[in-house]
Amino acid sequence: MYHYLKLSFSLSNKNLAQKWLMQAQVSPQAWQFCWVLLRPEKVPEIQYFGASALHTKISRYWGDIPAEQYDTLKTQLFSQIAHFASGSKIVLTRLCVALASLALNMMPEAWPGAVSEMVRMFQEEGGEVDGRARCLALLELLTVLPEEFQTSRLPQYRKGQVRGALGREWTAVYPLLQQLLRQPDSPPLVKARVLKCLSSWVLLDVPLNESEGLVEASFTALADPELFDTAVEAIVNTISQPDSQRYVNTLLKLVPQVLQLQEQLRDAVQNGDMETSHGICRIAVSLGENHSRALLEQVEHWQSFLALVNMIMFCTGIPGHYPVNETTSSLTLTFWYTLQDDIMSFEAEKQAIYLQVYRPVYFQLVDVLLHKAQFPTDEEYASWSSDEKEQFRIYRVDVSDTLMYVYEMLGAELLSNLYDKLGRVLTNTEPTTTWQHTEALLYGFQSIAETIDVNYSDVIPGLIGLIPRININNVQLADTVMFTIGALAEWLADHPVMLSSVLPLVLQALGNPDLSVSSVSTLKKICRECKYDLPPYAANIVAVSQEVLIKQIHKTSQCMWLMQALGFLLSALPVEEILRNLHSLITPYIQQLEKLAGETPNPSNKLAIIHILGLLSNLFTTLDITKPEEEPGENAPPIKSAPPQTGPNPVVVVLQQVFALIQTVLSKWLNDSQVVEAVCAIFEKSVKTLLHDFAPMVSQLSEMLGQMYSTIPQASALDLTRQMVHIFASETNHFPPIKALFELVTSVTLTIFQQGPRDHPDIVDSFMQLQAQVCFWFLISFTLGFSLLFRVLSLKFPEAPTVKSTCLFFTELIPRCADVPPVGQVVQEHGKLLLLAVLEAIGGQSSRSLMDQFAEVLFCLNKHCFALLTVWLKEALRSPGFPSSRVSNEQKDTFSQQVLRERVNKRRVKDIVKEFTLVCRGLHGTEYAADY
């Protein structure tokens, strides 16, 4: 075996080797071979495996170790650690982790004072190991001990006991760390390990006042470049512990120490030392963010806390563009949320006092954030990589979110402030004003207007009046102008007289491919929110839209948005005008589709057909002539609506006109699932929008769907059938064609099941969703053999959506077995097949992520077919090796009893199934089960 172990590291198939090594670690023989693998003559890789095997056995199979061997194991581990103190670092760390795991399992009863003994053992003179190596080994052991506790799988009650025992051991650790950190002759490596050890122990919620001296020494260590990073981690971890807010006096002592770092911070910024400025900023932010409320409440120290806030403000406004010149400012944004929340949570009188101090600070913050959000010069921006541009875009979104939040504190005065600044910028004739400044101010407006109701702001009319005065000579500025107009779409709906000021800008931008996303999305918002005020502009909007569509200026997704915008626009017009505009808008596409339909299918015309069908789908998604149903409030203005409509729905008229053409397209492309999906999408979106107005199309569409599905079954046809059934099955006039369609697709699909559906998981998925949703009188009136459906789960589909929809079907069907005799008969005759499939899945045939779905089927059977399930379970679990060879008869009996006992608590059944599936897979008690 050892020979194989040596070879395994050079195997080309690393996965196979890794699997073998994992199995070796958990084998009973691991106790013997792990010590052999640690012998000095072995290479470090082999030694590392031996140490890892030891840790695995101790941490996961503690119950296998007899109590009388605890002390022997402890002694052996101490001996190995002492040996490797001067040897391989990775092996030493692994041995320390193994000893840490041993200590955690023995504490506090079997090994009281474990940490004190560790410190004593390594401080004793003697042996061949020098003092420095022993010291570093001890620090490594003390560092991994709390880390191992954090990841250990100790039972909850033991975790509490061990945490308490470790907390009491801090008194043995603190003096050692203090001495080593303050000792002038301590090497930098030792000091760095001390700081790392402190970072580890504070995760155990060590009281802040009990580590005060170490934190102070950590601040001193910041002056040493070699210790800077580890000192920052130690300080941040210490003051970030939730429990530390109880020690206000200690926190107050920390504030001056942080403020003393300002000179070092400014020097770092001036010298371009991003690492140092980043680290100091982290310290300031962690103190402010974690303890702002505690420090705010110390009224007599308000000036020092305000100084800390201003220091964080400096970090927010740190010079340079994120992320190219600095990466620090983003760290501070959460602090401003926290400080605002804490101030606004005070009672009114106290809040008013704090607002006097901090409102000016937040107005300054707005200026700083808008400055940081400014684009660099065109030349500099052009030199950025695509990744840097994307990070900057995300950063601006974070700034936008912060501005939106700050509005809650500053209110309408913030908008007035932004408006005044924008007005001054636009009326300033000096050439010093850059487009970046204008864009940032507009971005501020956009950030607030996107999420805050600005309908009652008195500055928005002035802003709308200023927008046409902006000299738009840059793509980024033009984009922000567009997005700002889009953010004000709801305001424009209440103030339609202002549409004439901004609509020409939007229509002009439509012709610029660089403004594709912003201009199209803005037009869509305006058409959606203001459609009842747009009839005077409709002809112009349609004409411009047609022109850009014909010129193919925009990408496919923007073309789809544009059609949605036109759908909103046309919805508010009289039917005659809708039909006239539809005719001019879609006739070119219908002519192109007719031409394409006559061509031999090829990849090029396929894309063109899908594009045209997509345009029609998106147009019909939003073209809705029904009146809004909302009733206006008592003092609200009356809701605007389109004029009363008479005659057939325009969408239905168009669909009827192009129906034959669509059938022609289908006849040539029926084998192509993407084209079929695009055809079905037209009708599916129309049905969702029109609902019962789609009624004139039901009969011919049902017939076409039946023909499509009979010829070549596809999932998209089933999804459309589900929509039709959902809306029209309950209507007497439409029941016959809908029923015929349902019976046809069911018959065809069951034939697929008989032939083997493994190659059609998408069809099975959609079919099961259809079956789960339909009214069950279809099932009663339908006489096909539903026993086939009960074999679906046993096919063990690897696709999770298919299994989920299948389980959903059964959880809908089974509850009806008592009140619907045909369903009851089917369940009685074939329910055992279903149970066997469920048990096979739980036994390991299906993904663990699907166990909740199988548990729900099991729960349904137990709740509604208890007597049958009792018999079926007994018969099924009697088979040797079923559902897994890893479970004993006793474990199967326990599982059966637990399931049958739970007829009310579904959550409990899910837990039982999860537990049993782990046992079946041999994973119970392993790391794979830890997060399950």
Side-chain angles (χ1 to χ4, degrees), residues 622-643:
T622 55
L623 210 172
D624 183 8
I625 63 174
T626 55
K627 295 180 182 179
E629 296 180 357
E630 300 91 350
E631 291 295 327
E634 189 176 328
N635 299 317
I639 291 176
K640 292 172 279 191
S641 65

Side-chain angles (χ1 to χ4, degrees), residues 160-217:
Q161 291 176 347
V162 175
R163 178 184 281 274
L166 284 172
R168 291 188 292 275
E169 296 275 22
W170 175 241
T171 53
V173 178
Y174 179 82
L176 172 70
L177 302 185
Q178 180 90 318
Q179 177 190 352
L180 291 172
L181 199 54
R182 290 189 168 176
Q183 219 165 262
D185 58 345
S186 285
L189 180 58
V190 170
K191 288 186 176 182
R193 294 287 175 83
V194 168
L195 292 167
K196 190 178 176 187
C197 188
L198 172 61
S199 287
S200 180
W201 274 83
V202 295
L203 297 175
L204 297 173
D205 295 330
V206 170
L208 184 60
N209 61 342
E210 292 183 14
S211 57
E212 194 176 310
L214 279 172
V215 177
E216 187 177 326

Side-chain angles (χ1 to χ4, degrees), residues 36 94 147 168 173 229 299 321 327 374 465 473 507 542 551-552 666 717 806:
V36 177
R94 212 72 201 137
E147 293 171 353
R168 291 188 292 275
V173 178
D229 290 340
V299 181
H321 283 102
T327 56
Q374 285 186 23
N473 55 4
L507 294 180
V542 171
K551 289 182 178 178
Q552 299 181 339
L666 271 178
T806 306

Side-chain angles (χ1 to χ4, degrees), residues 648-754:
N649 191 289
V651 172
V652 173
V653 172
V654 173
L655 285 175
Q656 287 174 330
Q657 289 173 353
V658 300
F659 196 81
L661 175 58
I662 289 175
Q663 286 181 306
T664 304
V665 171
L666 271 178
S667 67
K668 288 198 172 183
W669 290 91
L670 200 53
N671 282 310
D672 193 293
S673 61
Q674 291 177 301
V675 174
V676 173
E677 191 174 326
V679 168
C680 290
I682 292 179
F683 294 105
E684 188 174 356
K685 291 181 177 180
S686 300
V687 169
K688 285 181 178 178
T689 304
L690 302 182
L691 300 175
H692 297 284
D693 285 352
F694 190 81
M697 297 286 300
V698 169
S699 182
Q700 61 189 132
L701 181 57
S702 298
E703 185 180 352
M704 186 185 84
L705 271 175
Q707 292 170 352
M708 282 170 52
Y709 197 74
S710 299
T711 309
I712 299 179
Q714 303 212 24
S716 52
L718 287 172
D719 295 334
L720 178 51
T721 300
R722 182 156 52 92
Q723 288 294 332
M724 299 271 286
V725 168
H726 179 64
I727 295 172
F728 295 107
S730 58
E731 294 190 9
T732 309
N733 294 342
H734 304 297
F735 184 76
I738 292 291
K739 180 173 181 285
L741 173 62
F742 176 79
E743 291 180 350
L744 179 62
V745 298
T746 302
S747 175
V748 171
T749 308
L750 290 178
T751 303
I752 293 175
F753 287 170
Q754 287 176 312

Side-chain angles (χ1 to χ4, degrees), residues 775-837:
C775 304
F776 275 86
W777 58 76
F778 278 178
L779 293 181
I780 302 164
S781 64
F782 201 40
T783 57
L784 285 175
F786 279 100
S787 61
L788 285 167
L789 297 183
F790 280 77
R791 295 193 177 95
V792 171
L793 286 179
S794 65
L795 297 172
K796 308 176 192 68
F797 279 94
E799 294 82 7
T802 304
V803 177
K804 286 180 179 179
S805 55
T806 306
C807 289
L808 175 64
F809 165 72
F810 285 114
T811 56
E812 291 287 335
L813 179 73
I814 293 168
R816 301 171 190 273
C817 63
D819 52 332
V820 182
V823 174
Q825 183 180 348
V826 171
V827 172
Q828 187 165 358
E829 291 176 4
H830 304 289
K832 188 177 177 183
L833 284 173
L834 173 62
L835 176 66
L836 289 172

